Amino acid sequence: MFASTLSLALALVPFVSAAVIDVQVGASGLTYSPEAIGANVGDQVVFHFHAKNHTVTQSSFADPCGKLDGGINSGFMPVAANQTDNLPTFTVQVKDTKPIWIYCAQAARTPASHCGAGMVFAINCGADGAPNSFTNFKKSALAVGASLAAAASASATPSSGAYGGGYGGGYGGGSAAPAATDSASAAWTTAAYGGVTIPAAPQATPVTAAVTVGTETWTTTYGSYPGSPDPTPASSTGNVIKVVVGGTGILAFDPPRVDAKPRDTIVFEFHQKNHTVTQSSFDDPCRKLNANGTTGFDSGFMPFSDTSAPFPTFNFTVTDTAPVWAYCRQQLPSSHCGAGMVFAINSDESSGRNFAAFQNVAKALNGTAVAANAPAPTTTTAASAAAAVKVGPISLTLFAAALVGSLVL
Ligand SMILES: *[C@@H]1O[C@H](CO)[C@@H](O)[C@H](O)[C@H]1NC(C)=O
Ligand SMILES: *[C@@H]1O[C@H](CO)[C@@H](O)[C@H](O)[C@H]1NC(C)=O
Ligand SMILES: *[C@@H]1O[C@H](CO)[C@@H](O)[C@H](O)[C@H]1NC(C)=O
Ligand SMILES: *[C@@H]1O[C@H](CO)[C@@H](O)[C@H](O)[C@H]1NC(C)=O
Ligand SMILES: *[C@@H]1O[C@H](CO)[C@@H](O)[C@H](O)[C@H]1NC(C)=O
Ligand SMILES: *[C@@H]1O[C@H](CO)[C@@H](O)[C@H](O)[C@H]1NC(C)=O
């Protein structure tokens, strides 16, 4: 038995000597220490649980404080205040180089949420400055905490109807109005299908403003909400912003998101092979927007081969400051949207509904993670990039032996 475990471990990581990375959970307040690590395939991340009652639970970038179906989960690890050694551990084996997002599920969806207080952790996240950086992940966890606190204080006052209406209004964002009325879940909603939890759409405030550009003045009405840009265009004809769609071996919009003012024109230039730009919604990234009388724009298929010229274009004129979400609806040979081929105008990068979150919803609903959203993944291996095992003294010994073995190699 010992020998077979050893050779299995060696077979899994034939040429790499795996590292063991220790992470302290709750050693000083509501933190993981370190907060973010890089790990190679085969590495073991060992979480040591300090006093109190924390978890190591996998979430997603889009929903930092929401449990990922079938993801890693240590369960609650209560540790007495006077216990300082023989701390319980939980080990995660890194199976690939994809980011793994982790939070503490204690007091989830309440104002006391550990995650909402910033108790999050990441393996192989994007670098600082990248959309999926640890800083952005933690920021959106803190935003969750802030909205849970706000929701709780709103429902503590007599008029708790603040979340009643207003979602899904005519700004193209909301086909999924939150059904929940309890304060803790009011800040969350579920994506169109597949059970992915996403931050709810912010409420738009209609604003009517006089805009002056050069000698011209006009009145504009637009939906303003946190993060909305100013509605004043650069000139009365607006700017022209070029976006390249596709290219040889490329399933992406370049750039993938733009900031634009009303009257700006986005010129989509279609390269190889056969793409569309089609408006969708944050809640349902890979289906054409068609909600409550609002039908999204659609370029139709724009095939381009190496021999045809020039590149076909499709123009979209920005009329509002609200975010516009779009995707490529090519499904042959597989969903381009599910591969992350999505695009946004004026996404609020400081909110949970930023571009990276939108792209994650697209991948979760139409991409490789779709299978994992199918019913009943009860083991920890289904959706996640890593398998998790509880490590007792015996398997720890075996692992140490395997390590020695691989060093001998
Ligand atoms: C740990 O936290 C969970 C969730 O709040 C709770 O159900 C459980 O009773 C706690 N365990 C201990 C020993 O405090
Ligand atoms: C911790 O405190 C409890 C109750 O006060 C006691 O029963 C237990 O022996 C203590 N454990 C240690 C490791 O000191
Ligand atoms: C459609 O809009 C009407 C009028 O604004 C509203 O009463 C209704 O609830 C909306 N329906 C959906 C599905 O959003
Ligand atoms: C482009 O893709 C669409 C949808 O898959 C298909 O119907 C159409 O025939 C394709 N056009 C070319 C020229 O490949
Ligand atoms: C889109 O706008 C650009 C620049 O104004 C123009 O050159 C191009 O012909 C337009 N494309 C279409 C399909 O109207
Ligand atoms: C995404 O999945 C939905 C639900 O299965 C489907 O209706 C839609 O056509 C898919 N879109 C793409 C672009 O794959």
Side-chain angles (χ1 to χ4, degrees):
M1 187 267 182
F2 179 87
S4 67
T5 309
L6 177 59
S7 54
L8 183 65
L10 291 179
L12 287 173
V13 280
F15 302 115
V16 188
S17 65
V20 174
I21 303 167
D22 291 300
V23 178
Q24 308 303 323
V25 182
S28 53
L30 301 181
T31 57
Y32 297 90
S33 176
E35 288 189 305
I37 59 168
N40 295 316
V41 175
D43 286 356
Q44 308 254 336
V45 183
V46 181
F47 294 91
H48 300 263
F49 291 85
H50 291 254
K52 286 200 169 155
N53 187 356
H54 301 292
T55 78
V56 164
T57 306
Q58 189 173 4
S59 64
S60 59
F61 185 86
D63 182 10
C65 301
K67 187 173 178 297
L68 185 71
D69 275 351
I72 295 162
N73 192 4
S74 68
F76 287 98
M77 294 288 209
V79 176
N82 60 358
Q83 188 176 339
T84 51
D85 54 10
N86 290 322
L87 295 173
T89 63
F90 176 76
T91 299
V92 169
Q93 178 165 19
V94 178
K95 289 283 187 65
D96 60 34
T97 54
K98 287 187 205 136
I100 298 173
W101 308 102
I102 297 287
Y103 72 108
C104 175
Q106 185 57 271
R109 306 276 147 100
T110 76
S113 160
H114 285 194
C115 179
M119 189 166 182
V120 291
F121 171 79
I123 303 173
N124 294 333
C125 57
D128 266 351
N132 65 341
S133 66
F134 180 76
T135 307
N136 286 346
F137 180 58
K138 186 167 174 178
K139 207 188 270 176
S140 57
L142 290 167
V144 169
S147 64
L148 289 170
S153 62
S155 69
T157 66
S159 62
S160 61
Y163 291 89
Y167 294 99
Y171 52 89
S175 55
T181 49
D182 70 296
S183 59
S185 56
W188 295 91
T189 183
T190 305
Y193 54 91
V196 174
T197 306
I198 54 174
Q203 233 167 313
T205 311
V207 173
T208 302
V211 172
T212 303
V213 173
T215 56
E216 286 183 74
T217 299
W218 65 87
T219 303
T220 182
T221 302
Y222 65 102
S224 172
Y225 45 100
S228 277
D230 181 79
T232 309
S235 68
S236 61
T237 53
N239 284 332
V240 172
I241 302 169
K242 185 172 121 179
V243 174
V244 173
V245 186
T248 305
I250 298 172
L251 294 184
F253 293 86
D254 183 19
R257 72 168 296 283
V258 299
D259 290 304
K261 302 289 182 63
R263 301 200 173 191
D264 287 353
T265 301
I266 318 278
V267 178
F268 294 95
E269 188 180 278
F270 290 86
H271 290 217
Q272 296 84 347
K273 290 182 168 176
N274 182 2
H275 303 287
T276 77
V277 58
T278 306
Q279 190 176 2
S280 62
S281 62
F282 187 94
D283 316 66
D284 194 356
C286 302
R287 268 196 297 220
K288 189 176 171 197
L289 178 67
N290 189 4
N292 214 2
T294 311
T295 305
F297 66 80
D298 181 20
S299 67
F301 285 98
M302 295 287 203
F304 177 82
S305 70
D306 301 332
T307 52
S308 49
F311 297 115
T313 59
F314 173 79
N315 292 350
F316 173 70
T317 304
V318 178
T319 56
D320 200 350
T321 60
V324 174
W325 311 101
Y327 71 109
C328 171
R329 65 180 167 89
Q330 181 61 272
Q331 296 189 33
L332 297 178
S334 60
S335 170
H336 286 191
C337 184
M341 189 167 182
V342 293
F343 175 76
I345 305 170
N346 293 335
S347 53
D348 179 0
E349 292 304 289
S350 69
S351 77
R353 292 167 73 101
N354 55 30
F355 175 77
F358 175 60
Q359 192 175 43
N360 281 343
V361 178
K363 288 178 181 170
L365 292 183
N366 282 65
T368 51
V370 163
N373 285 324
T378 48
T379 64
T380 54
T381 49
S384 64
V389 282
K390 276 199 167 123
V391 176
I394 293 173
S395 48
L396 258 182
T397 312
L398 289 179
F399 177 66
L403 251 188
V404 171
S406 61
L407 292 177
V408 170
L409 268 187

